[in-house]
Amino acid sequence: MAQVAQTAAAQGRAGESASSRLVRLGFTGPETALATLAEAPLGELGRDPLFPEALGRTADPDLALAAVARLLAAADDTDTLAATLAAARPFSDRLLGVLGLSVALGDHLARHPAGWRALVEFDVEDLAPAFRRLMLAAVGADPDAADPIAAVTGIPARDALRVAYRDALLGIAARDIGTPAAIEATESYDRTAADLSDLATATLDAALAVARAELPADAPPARLAVIALGKCGARELNYVSDVDVVFVAAAPDGTDPAQEHLALRTATQLAATLMRVCSDTTSEGSIWQVDANLRPEGKNGPLVRTLASHIAYYERWAKTWEFQALLKARAAAGDADLGAQYVEAVTPMVWAASRREGFVADVQAMRRRVVAHIPAKDAERELKLGSGGLRDIEFAVQLLQLVHGPSDTTLRRRGTLESLTALSAGGYVGRADAATLVDAYRFLRTLEHRLQIHRLRRTHTLPEDEDEIELRRLGRSMGFRTDPVEQLQEQWKLHKREVRRLHEKLFYRPLLDAVARLTPGQAELGAAQLTPEAAQSRLEALGYTDPAGALRHLTALTSGVSRRAAIQRTLLPVMLSWFADAADPDGGLLAFRKTSEALGDTHWYLRLLRDEGAAAEHLARVLASGRFAPDLLLRAPEAVAILGDPAHLVPRARPVLEAEIRAAVG
């Protein structure tokens, strides 16, 4: 029925010229398109009135048509492909959607035209589990073996991996791009990023199988685990990105410890070959760079270390940014048991890192350095590094995780979006703010994907305003049809503005530094994670004269699963210390409970204390200063709002006070 309706619609527009129809469908070169449709490779497909309609649903109909013509000219089964394109709507939308956006994948299909058949039985649910089997089979390795070894080596193995990789990439892109007019462009971001990461993991395993096959026959045995960091570790990889890894090695069980250096030598050979297998350029191009520069000592350190050597380095010499990188560590390929041991060993160090002197300031300074090094001409077009870009979201989320994660295990996640969800659920980020950041992150990452897939190049910079063809293709790929360039730029600027605002609010939140300076016992105290006996002992040590009473107030403030209790669990560890530094800690805590009971249901009170660290500290000082000020505040608890505005905390001149008093008396 749908096809009949479309045919009738096409016949109803018979009065318009062929060129006008193509322009209406989105073609920018209608005369060239008409000539291509009439050429021999397209045959009957070129005369099908519904075929231009299908092309018009793509990001760049001209590009899609040219790619289809090349594919049909190269295919051995031209008639079958043309018939499938004409009759199978889901298949044609998938294939044309990719060809209308990606020159690189169009080139791949022109060289390997049989690849189109992979999309006929395309099943999105079965895609990810098949990656490892596909990549290992490409080099003749047994995917069921404990340590697969390739049957193909050298250039043939590298070429086979590249062809298989792009075939898999074609499948991912087909589902990702879909039909922008029919689905929300950002809808599939989460699973696309996960699939790209799973494909990268499978590729590492296949490259390791090739490396094993290329070892000298007399090489001593060794265990090697590949640990993914960064976006691959978090399963949020781009279409084109370096894959960040560290390598950890061990001698096989039962090996003489004195011979461990021989196993390390073999493991280093394996790691170095794996990196070359992925990054070498052959007639089929390259896959991506495997970047091991995040390893201990960076480029100056050994490529492969034992687990004990890794631990010794992180305990003694690691810098703040190295623990931030380890936040996303995941055992990706190679020896699974060794990889799991590595992740288990470094995880406690990651969550202790925020207790280091100057941790918050170090992370903030690192972000400022990144922004400062962006070329001025690119700063406003940078999706990733620029102000209001992806890094602003990622740095804010990671800093909040690392500061609050030691006392709240629900925040110990790898992915940015799942971490944002956990931060919102725990009351560390407002629900509206978290939803805004989630929307912005999906939009920016999807736009980054569309930008990279065109030529499969690593880029994060939007085209310049003068490059309208590129911007138009990008806009249409994101689902904008009415005025794709203007709509794209409007949405990009909107998200950038919101990200910039929320980054400043969250990343430089005054409360962060205070939380980071808490001792483990203090952090657990406010979060109600200690036994009653341990909690009373800690309160007594802080200077509370009635620790049992203070514990009752704490329990009343933090018990339950309400939003109010969650936010107060984030506030109280720091506020308890501020109360303890003032004249009357017990009175301050009691007054805070009364104030919170009076104002806890208002929409602004706890949000003010959480997001404006100065307000929380000022309130703590006032409440614990004695009875006079708290009594005044409790008569008009809404006056807490004054504490968040520096302009209200400046002594007022006598004439102003006289005017207020006269007005009140009058």
Side-chain angles (χ1 to χ4, degrees), residues 457-492:
R457 290 180 181 170
R458 186 184 180 190
T459 178
H460 315 283
T461 307
L462 285 179
E464 297 189 37
D465 292 346
E466 296 77 18
D467 199 346
E468 190 162 343
I469 293 177
E470 294 288 330
L471 287 171
R472 181 176 181 273
R473 182 189 301 116
L474 271 178
R476 285 174 62 90
S477 76
M478 294 293 291
F480 303 127
R481 285 293 190 267
T482 307
D483 189 343
V485 175
E486 183 178 337
Q487 288 178 291
L488 172 66
Q489 291 181 328
E490 180 183 323
Q491 284 297 306
W492 150 239

Side-chain angles (χ1 to χ4, degrees), residues 402-449:
L402 290 166
V403 168
H404 296 291
S407 59
D408 188 347
T409 57
T410 66
L411 304 182
R412 299 182 183 185
R413 315 292 178 91
R414 293 190 182 99
T416 302
L417 293 180
E418 61 178 339
S419 299
L420 253 177
T421 300
L423 286 165
S424 176
Y428 303 95
V429 177
R431 283 173 289 199
D433 290 348
T436 298
L437 288 175
V438 166
D439 289 345
Y441 193 74
R442 284 199 174 108
F443 177 87
L444 294 174
R445 288 300 308 276
T446 302
L447 185 55
E448 180 185 46
H449 282 184

Side-chain angles (χ1 to χ4, degrees), residues 187 267 274 301 496 534:
E187 182 179 302
L274 177 152
K496 182 166 67 170

